[in-house]
Amino acid sequence: MTPFASGIYPGVVTHTRVKPRAHRLRYRIFMLLLDLDEISALDRGLRLFAHNRFALTGFHEADHLNGSGADLKAQVEAHLAAAGVAHGGAVRMLAMPRILGGVFNPLTVYFCHRRDGILSAILYEVTNTFGERHSYVIDAGGRQGCDKAFFVSPFMDMELSYVFRIAPPGERVSVGVDVYDADGLVLATAFGGRRVELSDRALFRAWRDHPLMTLGVMAAIHWEALKIWRKGERVRRRPAPPAAPVTVVRARNPSPAGG
């Protein structure tokens, strides 16, 4: 039995664009659930995982949030404190790891807990292909949703809203993001995976089954963008990123029209 709360989630990503032109994609990836209190123990206990150094799979703080390389849990808790959200318990991050030194995470999800172990908030960290990053902090009460504040795709408008569909990590995990305009659903994205206990053997198998995952994700993003462009979708101008690195949202129940 593994001593770690951290684990591996092999699974499938799907994107279904509804309008103005239909487009679908589906590809297999794996994600790591990393308890940020376990990083040092994982680094010591696993040969195929490394913290802030090269390995088959790894984790670098500099790949996330403010990019400074400062302690990631401390950064998350500072954002929670500024938002007035109870914290002090485990922070578990669902993300793709570095693979042989390379990584790109369009969406990283942090499950943030109070000292008593209750989930108090979710921090959604969005990274675009321009090297920009922005996060949304939403308290865990009620349905998760917010207005779009950060430019991601050159084929999507800014006047949109998100509804997040989350099944927190257990034997399975599910993360969905539905994107709405004033008239309804524009895009539905989802990742779903089943937990595998974290070990060197499991990391090797995950890499063996997805050997070019980082390059594959980047290639897939650009290949799908080319196909969308060839369907006639216009390119939107990229605005400046938000002045604040984090948007704080109190949980609410956005309508299907994104109101």
Side-chain angles (χ1 to χ4, degrees):
M1 182 176 180
T2 180
F4 301 125
S6 304
I8 306 176
Y9 286 87
V12 174
V13 169
T14 60
H15 285 205
T16 303
R17 189 181 178 103
V18 177
K19 59 181 182 180
R21 292 165 181 82
H23 187 76
R24 295 181 180 179
L25 65 87
R26 182 181 187 275
Y27 51 95
R28 301 191 65 83
I29 64 169
F30 74 94
M31 302 189 83
L32 293 187
L33 180 73
L34 296 176
D35 187 313
L36 297 183
D37 289 328
E38 293 181 346
I39 298 300
S40 294
L42 294 172
D43 189 30
R44 292 192 304 269
L46 297 169
R47 291 172 294 173
L48 299 184
F49 175 88
H51 177 212
N52 287 337
R53 56 188 176 84
F54 184 84
L56 180 66
T57 61
F59 161 73
H60 290 203
E61 278 96 350
D63 296 331
H64 299 280
L65 293 183
N66 66 17
S68 68
D71 181 82
L72 197 59
K73 184 175 182 182
Q75 291 187 58
V76 172
E77 290 197 321
H79 292 312
L80 298 177
V85 175
H87 55 281
V91 175
R92 294 179 179 140
M93 179 185 78
L94 184 69
M96 287 185 286
R98 280 192 171 224
I99 302 291
L100 295 173
V103 69
F104 178 68
N105 272 291
L107 178 66
T108 301
V109 183
Y110 301 80
F111 298 91
C112 309
H113 299 78
R114 304 183 326 207
R115 293 184 187 277
D116 61 6
I118 301 298
L119 184 69
S120 61
I122 301 176
L123 187 151
Y124 302 91
E125 177 187 64
V126 182
T127 302
N128 64 25
T129 56
F130 304 100
E132 299 167 336
R133 192 174 296 132
H134 187 74
S135 298
Y136 302 87
V137 172
I138 307 180
D139 67 74
R143 192 179 181 191
Q144 302 269 295
C146 65
D147 293 329
K148 180 179 178 179
F150 175 66
F151 185 82
V152 181
S153 167
F155 300 105
M156 301 287 284
D157 295 320
M158 286 297 296
E159 295 75 26
L160 299 170
S161 62
Y162 298 135
V163 172
F164 301 101
R165 297 176 283 104
I166 302 293
E171 286 305 307
R172 292 180 176 272
V173 68
S174 177
V175 176
V177 184
D178 294 339
V179 184
Y180 292 91
D181 65 13
D183 298 316
L185 182 66
V186 175
L187 173 71
T189 73
F191 169 77
R194 180 188 290 271
R195 181 183 174 92
V196 175
E197 300 302 337
L198 189 54
S199 66
D200 283 313
R201 177 176 293 183
L203 285 170
F204 178 79
R205 287 177 175 172
W207 170 78
R208 180 197 63 191
D209 294 341
H210 312 81
L212 299 176
M213 188 170 73
T214 298
L215 289 175
V217 168
M218 290 298 292
I221 288 171
H222 289 91
W223 176 242
E224 298 300 332
L226 176 61
K227 290 194 287 186
I228 291 171
W229 177 76
R230 290 187 66 185
K231 289 181 178 181
E233 188 59 60
R234 67 180 178 87
V235 175
R236 279 69 166 177
R237 180 176 296 180
R238 176 165 59 105
V246 176
T247 296
V248 176
V249 184
R250 292 297 174 185
R252 58 189 177 91
N253 293 313
S255 69

